[in-house]
Amino acid sequence: MKNDFISRVSHELRTPLTAIKGWAETMQLSERGTLDRRTFDRGMGVIIKESSRLTSIVEELLDFGRIQSGRMVLINEKVDILAEFDETVYMLKERAIDEGIHLLYDEPEAIYPPVYGDRNRLRQVFLNILDNALKYTPKGGVVAAQVIYSKDDPDVIKIIVTDSGCGISAEDLPKVKDKFFKANQTVGGSGIGLAVADEIMNLHGGSLDIESGEGVGTTVTLTFPIYKEGQEKSMPENVKL
């Protein structure tokens, strides 16, 4: 699995590097003033997009290394989970439109209690879960998200993301959160993003649960304990875990 992971990451890095190099050479070799604006804008768009993709891959690898060595640091504070999730969904709406996927989310009108954690790490989890849902959902499909806080279960807030994608086989489902494991080799990704997201949830005292079936889509449930008065006194703001 580790050998497959190294091969996969090498491929994931090479693909954007090839695109960046190709467009940079095209723009450099073109005689000054002869490259039309449309081609220039397209080339710059590819370079920026693929550079961001490289950055994401490298950050994911660094995070994985930090978790493996116990060096991940959480900057904890009271976090408005609704605001953070809403902003993450907003960031991905344009992508969903471009890919022909219906991204459905209605922010609850009620005020929910805060959670205690690292807002950047939590947003990283949201991005990973929503990115996976979009990646595995075909054009015309649906990704639906909701945030739930119930008086029947007042100690936790849940975020549920459901997609109408290809789903995960019963054989692969127990292994999808394992490091290096990747069920679908035809879709891009390093295979460690979900493992990192799961570990971040564990460090926050929460959980990441997955239900899926081949051909019927996937549902991911994120469960967060709500903030308890005085919680910050029992855990310093800068926590090395």
Side-chain angles (χ1 to χ4, degrees):
M1 285 175 66
K2 188 179 289 186
N3 289 338
D4 288 343
F5 166 75
I6 292 170
S7 175
R8 196 161 55 240
V9 169
S10 298
H11 176 75
E12 289 291 323
L13 292 170
R14 184 170 61 244
T15 302
L17 282 170
T18 300
I20 291 169
K21 184 172 182 288
W23 273 103
E25 288 176 345
T26 297
M27 296 166 77
Q28 183 184 49
L29 293 173
S30 299
E31 295 182 21
R32 188 180 297 273
T34 62
L35 196 65
D36 65 274
R37 186 69 197 186
R38 183 178 178 183
T39 304
F40 177 84
D41 288 343
R42 182 184 176 194
M44 287 302 297
V46 170
I47 289 172
I48 292 169
K49 179 182 176 182
E50 296 301 325
S51 296
S52 297
R53 183 177 165 193
L54 278 174
T55 300
S56 296
I57 294 171
V58 172
E59 286 297 329
E60 200 171 70
L61 291 169
L62 290 173
D63 282 340
F64 182 72
R66 292 184 188 108
I67 289 172
Q68 289 294 97
S69 61
R71 292 183 294 107
M72 176 166 277
V73 176
L74 298 183
I75 311 300
N76 288 313
E77 59 183 320
K78 287 194 287 186
V79 177
D80 182 345
I81 207 80
L82 279 177
E84 297 302 323
F85 189 67
D86 180 66
E87 191 167 334
T88 307
V89 172
Y90 181 78
M91 287 170 55
L92 293 172
K93 276 188 174 179
E94 195 65 36
R95 170 185 163 187
I97 292 171
D98 290 343
E99 296 178 2
I101 298 170
H102 303 284
L103 179 55
L104 308 179
Y105 171 67
D106 292 320
E107 183 178 352
E109 295 181 1
I111 298 175
Y112 286 1
V115 302
Y116 191 63
D118 186 321
R119 68 176 65 248
N120 290 324
R121 293 299 180 187
L122 293 178
R123 190 179 294 184
Q124 180 179 348
V125 173
F126 301 155
L127 277 169
N128 178 273
I129 299 306
L130 288 168
D131 175 69
N132 277 345
L134 291 171
K135 274 196 303 190
Y136 291 99
T137 299
K139 184 175 181 179
V142 176
V143 173
Q146 57 181 324
V147 184
I148 298 174
Y149 178 65
S150 169
K151 291 182 179 179
D152 295 331
D153 197 4
D155 294 326
V156 298
I157 292 176
K158 293 185 177 183
I159 293 178
I160 302 174
V161 177
T162 302
D163 67 62
S164 61
C166 58
I168 305 165
S169 69
E171 180 185 356
D172 289 336
L173 187 57
K175 299 178 282 188
V176 292
K177 294 191 288 184
D178 292 350
K179 59 186 179 183
F180 309 136
F181 183 77
K182 195 166 187 291
N184 191 330
Q185 303 295 332
T186 63
V187 178
S190 64
I192 60 173
L194 201 56
V196 171
D198 184 53
E199 188 61 30
I200 291 172
M201 290 299 296
N202 290 336
L203 293 178
H204 282 83
S207 63
L208 189 162
D209 300 296
I210 303 173
E211 296 178 20
S212 187
E214 208 163 8
V216 297
T218 301
T219 297
V220 177
T221 302
L222 304 173
T223 304
F224 304 86
I226 66 166
Y227 168 78
K228 300 291 186 181
E229 196 66 39
Q231 188 173 352
E232 64 272 19
K233 295 178 182 178
S234 63
M235 182 180 287
E237 285 194 2
N238 297 307
V239 183
K240 186 175 181 180
L241 296 162

